[in-house]
Amino acid sequence: MTASVFRAARPRCATRRLSGRVAHTVLAGTVGIVWLVLPGMTINSGTAVALPRTSPVTATAAPRQDETSPGYLALPLVAVGTAGVLAGYGYVRRTRRSRTRTTPGGGPAPPSVPWRSPPPSDELDGHSTELIALADDWVRTSREELGFAEARFGAAAVEPFARAVRDAAAELAAACRMRERYDHGVPEDAAARGQALAGVVGRCEEAGRLLDAVAAAFDELRGLERGLGEALEVAEARFRELAGRTGGAASTVAGLRERYGPTAVASVTGHVEQAKDRLVLATSRLNRARQSADSGNLRAAACHLRVAEGAVAQTSVFVHGVERLAEELPAAEHLVPAALSGAEADLEAIRRAAESAAAQLTGGPDRTTAPTQDAPGSPGSPESAKFPKPPQRTAGRSASQPPPGAGPGTAAASGAAPVPVPGTSSAAVPVDVAAGELRARVTHADLELARVHAERAEGPYDPLDALRRIVRATAPVGTRRAGVLSAAEELVARSAVAAADDFVGTHRGAVGSTARIRLAEALRLLPTDPQTADTLARQARDLAEQDVRLHGNPCPAATDPSAGATAAVLGGILLAEDPDGGPPACYGGPRTRGRRRPGPA
């Protein structure tokens, strides 16, 4: 309240000060003019003035002054000039203060602090997607290098840096979630959407800041500039282990293709070849690291070691992907028969429950057949225990009967209670679902299960795809999500998410933000909604493959293509800042991830 009064009073105070200066100037000018005119008026007056009588003086009489003295004219001119100078000084000072003033009503802001308008929504949109891709690279690269440090110093020593990676990953996941909601139109208000994009940018920048803050301490822990002996030994040991596993992965892929068909191994097609490319890159850089260390150029040795570590880490991803699929396919094959049996039992229970509900809505069982003690639906039969009648809502009418005057399609409006279905996740099948629609869903599920039976009989077939089709076919009819079908759903989703994550991580130099956002959402939903997570993961994989195809050769001017520079840039191991691939990506955020560069030879 007081500040508002002060702000409102400032213009009036300034006006009074300006009016005072003007009044002073006018007064001074008026005084000067009067001073200049008054002597002339007095001298030219013709009125005689009586003088006192005096005695005669013998001295020589003074000369008679017939003109005005110059001093009388000089003083008014000096006064007028002084007043003009003061007025001019006040005006100049006032103008200068108004130009440099920053208080309200005091003129524009000084040029040293220009006002910046917020960026346009299109610019902020593009910046947010770009930062999501970059932040994902920061987190993935930091996690890779952290693994080598942990292998050398132990988990306790690297815990502060692992915590920074986890916190940065949490910020990135929140940014991806906000961006996913934004892409689906949430929020709808234009101002709120701009704030959402600003939130995405802020989250990504915070992820980078967290990693940058501990990058120097991480380098101090590793101490590569002080010596590479132990670090080289760790990298070379993992290299030798992966070289042996890569040969086994090739035979594993061949065996899986023969047993389950080519579609079953499509997710790991090319993994062995790409693993060999990364091993070639690791071999070249490990040798160069040894040579640089022997010559005393530890800076260049550390740079080459980081490239070798990145190549070894991605080789592990490719090989582990093959080995993981070799475990998933037999597990899925073992689940398929049980999933088929469970789905068929659930469909039969739903079909019989729907028939029972329809019979109750039409007034009871078929009147042409008298119920017996053992007939389904009779009071003492087992079916009557399985499908009890819905509870009564009123004393005079069953809850399953429509009110008087209602048509056949007003069962939902009548408040009919659902009919319980044993073994389903929901307590019952609602009777407000049209009977024709439910029959169509059940028929579709039966056809899909029949196709899976036929594929098993013909062989070979993809058991993961078979489980996916069983789960998706039975989901619309409300089959249970506990037991074998739940296990099948989780297995399929985990396989799809892991395969998409492997592809994005090993091709992150070309994969855009959309695929990463889909993958982040799939990871978020994996524990609670495996079926949606499976769908999002498959979309992420398709988008990532499309990005790689459109990207082309990421390093056409590589000086040594045989050493795997192109694969290193494609995998994000090198930052592609120079024609030969640029510096290696390291633990850290935007300010520190490219800090390792080879020194002079």
Side-chain angles (χ1 to χ4, degrees):
M1 176 68 73
T2 305
S4 300
V5 173
F6 286 164
R7 285 194 295 270
R10 282 169 184 165
R12 293 196 293 269
C13 294
T15 303
R16 287 198 295 268
R17 287 195 295 269
L18 181 60
S19 301
R21 291 193 183 96
V22 173
H24 292 165
T25 303
V26 172
L27 180 60
T30 303
V31 171
I33 294 173
V34 171
W35 199 343
L36 180 63
V37 173
L38 185 60
M41 296 174 60
T42 306
I43 293 172
N44 297 331
S45 176
T47 306
V49 179
L51 295 176
R53 183 177 295 178
T54 58
S55 61
V57 181
T58 58
T60 306
R64 187 178 180 180
Q65 296 181 357
D66 296 332
E67 298 179 358
T68 303
S69 175
Y72 289 101
L73 298 175
L75 290 177
L77 292 176
V78 171
V80 173
T82 302
V85 170
L86 292 176
Y89 172 74
Y91 176 77
V92 171
R93 184 180 178 185
R94 172 68 180 174
T95 303
R96 185 176 300 171
R97 288 182 60 187
S98 66
R99 289 178 179 175
T100 59
R101 192 171 181 175
T102 59
T103 55
S112 58
V113 187
W115 180 81
R116 295 181 178 179
S117 61
S121 58
D122 293 342
E123 179 181 347
L124 196 59
D125 188 357
H127 186 48
S128 64
T129 56
E130 179 183 359
L131 275 180
I132 285 177
L134 290 174
D136 189 52
D137 287 349
W138 305 334
V139 172
R140 290 179 182 274
T141 302
S142 299
R143 189 181 290 125
E144 287 179 357
E145 188 173 0
L146 186 68
F148 289 93
E150 182 177 354
R152 179 181 174 187
F153 299 103
V158 301
E159 175 55 27
F161 313 107
R163 183 169 56 253
V165 173
R166 291 193 299 269
D167 293 343
E171 294 289 340
L172 173 62
C176 290
R177 175 58 179 158
M178 294 172 66
R179 180 67 204 199
E180 177 75 9
R181 289 169 54 84
Y182 177 88
D183 291 339
H184 285 80
V186 180
E188 298 180 356
D189 181 67
R193 289 178 68 80
Q195 293 176 0
L197 290 178
V200 173
V201 172
R203 293 279 189 172
C204 294
E205 290 177 346
E206 177 63 15
R209 188 197 65 78
L210 290 171
L211 297 174
D212 283 333
V214 297
F218 184 76
D219 288 347
E220 183 67 21
L221 173 67
R222 296 206 69 187
L224 298 181
E225 284 75 9
R226 297 190 300 269
L228 277 75
E230 295 183 9
L232 273 172
E233 291 176 0
V234 171
E236 289 173 344
R238 292 190 62 181
F239 170 83
R240 289 190 293 269
E241 175 195 357
L242 288 169
R245 289 169 58 191
T246 301
S251 59
T252 299
V253 172
L256 293 176
R257 181 182 291 107
E258 181 179 0
R259 179 177 177 181
Y260 299 107
T263 59
V265 297
S267 61
V268 297
T269 299
H271 272 37
V272 175
E273 291 75 12
Q274 295 184 73
K276 292 179 179 179
D277 289 341
R278 302 302 195 272
L279 288 177
V280 170
L281 175 63
T283 301
S284 172
R285 292 305 180 115
L286 287 173
N287 292 335
R288 295 172 68 178
R290 283 288 185 187
Q291 295 171 1
S292 299
D294 294 341
S295 63
N297 191 351
L298 295 180
R299 184 177 176 183
C303 176
H304 295 311
L305 175 61
R306 267 303 302 140
V307 179
E309 288 175 345
V312 169
Q314 293 195 7
T315 302
S316 177
V317 172
F318 288 124
V319 175
H320 180 66
V322 173
E323 296 171 348
R324 182 182 63 244
L325 184 64
E327 297 175 357
E328 293 169 347
L329 287 174
E333 184 182 23
H334 177 72
L335 278 177
V336 167
L340 284 171
S341 300
E344 290 169 347
D346 286 348
L347 290 176
E348 181 62 23
I350 291 173
R351 186 183 295 107
R352 293 167 65 183
E355 293 175 354
S356 175
Q360 292 177 7
L361 288 175
T362 56
D366 190 355
R367 300 181 183 273
T368 59
T369 304
T372 62
Q373 185 70 19
D374 296 332
S378 60
S381 66
E383 293 299 327
S384 176
K386 288 184 180 181
F387 301 99
K389 291 184 178 181
Q392 302 291 329
R393 295 188 60 182
T394 61
R397 186 174 65 251
S398 171
S400 61
Q401 295 175 348
T410 59
S414 67
V419 179
V421 178
T424 58
S425 58
S426 59
V429 174
V431 296
D432 59 346
V433 177
E437 181 181 356
L438 183 59
R439 283 196 299 270
R441 293 178 181 179
V442 172
T443 301
H444 172 74
D446 287 335
L447 291 175
E448 195 64 42
L449 297 183
R451 294 190 188 97
V452 173
H453 276 296
E455 290 178 0
R456 289 186 63 217
E458 295 173 359
Y461 75 104
D462 180 2
L464 282 172
D465 183 66
L467 285 181
R468 179 178 291 111
R469 289 158 57 192
I470 293 171
V471 169
R472 291 182 181 277
T474 56
V477 296
T479 54
R480 65 182 175 217
R481 285 297 177 264
V484 64
L485 286 181
S486 176
E489 189 177 47
E490 293 176 2
L491 175 61
V492 169
R494 284 199 310 269
S495 176
V497 171
D501 188 65
D502 288 351
F503 188 88
V504 172
T506 53
H507 299 80
R508 58 180 177 265
V511 176
S513 62
T514 306
R516 302 175 195 246
I517 294 170
R518 292 284 195 281
L519 177 59
E521 189 70 5
L523 288 168
R524 187 184 71 85
L525 295 175
L526 182 59
T528 58
D529 190 357
Q531 186 172 346
T532 304
D534 173 59
T535 300
L536 291 172
R538 289 163 63 83
Q539 292 177 2
R541 174 67 182 264
D542 293 340
L543 290 169
E545 291 179 350
Q546 181 180 356
D547 290 339
V548 172
R549 289 192 298 269
L550 295 176
H551 193 264
N553 187 358
C555 192
T559 56
D560 188 8
S562 62
T566 300
V569 172
L570 182 65
I573 301 172
L574 297 177
L575 296 180
E577 296 179 358
D578 300 324
D580 61 347
C586 304
Y587 182 106
R591 295 188 295 105
T592 58
R593 66 166 183 158
R595 62 189 178 275
R596 296 197 183 278
R597 294 179 178 270

